[in-house]
Amino acid sequence: AQSVAQPEDQVNVAEGNPLTVKCTYSVSGNPYLFWYVQYPNRGLQFLLKYITGDNLVKGSYGFEAEFNKSQTSFHLKKPSALVSDSALYFCAVRANTGGFKTIFGAGTRLFVKA
Amino acid sequence: DAGVTQSPTHLIKTRGQQVTLRCSPISGHKSVSWYQQVLGQGPQFIFQYYEKEERGRGNFPDRFSARQFPNYSSELNVNALLLGDSALYLCASSLAGEETQYFGPGTRLLVL
């Protein structure tokens, strides 16, 4: 069965500092991995995805994520946080075989202090 | 280009009633998925449709049903509403066989 864990409910970081939002997953076969961001009273916005290839994936707004197969992780990173990055971040996984079901983590709230 | 649109934006129903939520995908997208997001939780997969056929179903009771129309728009129906059905219902569209889903703003359903 597929599952996603985001071990931190909340991450606090000062503006200008690097940020990391953690995600681990479990899926049969090779995973498709995604990060989405949700602002208050809005739908989810796509940030980046890993399908295959280079383990370091670059996405929107300066975010990147590193796929680590041995640790089954897909942590979201940004070298220098902005106050405007404060939002709710979701990691999601989908197996590349056997259906279209996408599983989301519970989310991590990011607070960036000025 | 317009993104994914959903209607209505808000809805209030009472227990036992039925509700229909609507979704129009991004032009050219042939797949639509539905998710339920309860406050404080991540989206939970309900259905995915592609070319008018159901391609995936999450762990939701039979009170939940959906369909996709020839123009690729979709409806989600929920019968015999329960208080626990109160949530933000999200629709996402994607290209045929393309993995990235683009989400609409959602319909917020409140069941009293």
Side-chain angles (χ1 to χ4, degrees):
Chain A
Q2 299 166 222
S3 66
V4 176
Q6 294 182 241
E8 302 154 316
D9 291 336
Q10 184 172 308
V11 169
N12 297 311
V13 65
E15 188 175 34
N17 284 359
L19 70 87
T20 298
V21 182
K22 296 179 181 178
C23 172
T24 59
Y25 66 91
S26 174
V27 67
S28 298
N30 293 321
Y32 294 161
L33 294 158
F34 306 86
W35 276 101
Y36 287 86
V37 59
Q38 188 174 36
Y39 295 98
N41 301 313
R42 302 274 295 276
L44 277 68
Q45 295 180 30
F46 170 74
L47 278 179
L48 51 79
K49 67 180 178 184
Y50 172 84
I51 304 298
T52 187
D54 194 349
N55 289 343
L56 184 63
V57 178
K58 294 189 182 297
S60 306
Y61 312 118
F63 284 94
E64 58 189 28
E66 186 167 11
F67 171 63
N68 187 317
K69 188 173 183 177
S70 63
Q71 297 185 6
T72 61
S73 67
F74 190 57
H75 301 330
L76 182 70
K77 300 181 180 184
K78 187 174 182 181
S80 179
L82 299 172
V83 172
S84 58
D85 293 330
S86 298
L88 189 55
Y89 290 81
F90 292 98
C91 180
V93 66
R94 176 176 148 185
N96 69 343
T97 58
F100 292 73
K101 187 174 182 178
T102 301
I103 303 299
F104 281 79
T108 298
R109 188 164 297 280
L110 174 66
F111 285 102
V112 181
K113 278 187 170 182
Chain B
D1 283 341
V4 178
T5 59
Q6 293 185 243
S7 63
T9 55
H10 294 82
L11 204 51
I12 300 175
K13 293 285 188 178
T14 57
R15 282 177 297 176
Q17 286 189 311
Q18 176 264 342
V19 68
T20 298
L21 311 180
R22 296 176 175 83
C23 172
S24 292
I26 292 171
S27 177
H29 285 193
K30 298 183 178 180
S31 180
V32 169
S33 298
W34 287 96
Y35 293 84
Q36 180 195 66
Q37 186 179 18
V38 174
L39 196 63
Q41 297 181 19
Q44 300 293 313
F45 175 79
I46 309 176
F47 289 110
Q48 180 163 19
Y49 277 76
Y50 172 61
E51 291 282 13
K52 296 170 287 182
E53 290 191 6
E54 182 184 304
R55 293 299 183 94
R57 173 185 283 257
N59 297 325
F60 281 81
D62 292 342
R63 300 185 295 108
F64 289 76
S65 63
R67 55 180 176 168
Q68 187 176 32
F69 299 98
N71 66 354
Y72 304 110
S73 67
S74 178
E75 288 182 351
L76 175 70
N77 295 284
V78 186
N79 294 322
L81 285 166
L82 303 174
L83 296 180
D85 295 330
S86 296
L88 180 67
Y89 288 84
L90 296 166
C91 173
S93 76
S94 59
L95 290 168
E98 215 278 347
E99 303 83 10
T100 301
Q101 296 180 76
Y102 295 91
F103 283 80
T107 293
R108 190 164 295 281
L109 172 65
L110 177 61
V111 182
L112 301 176

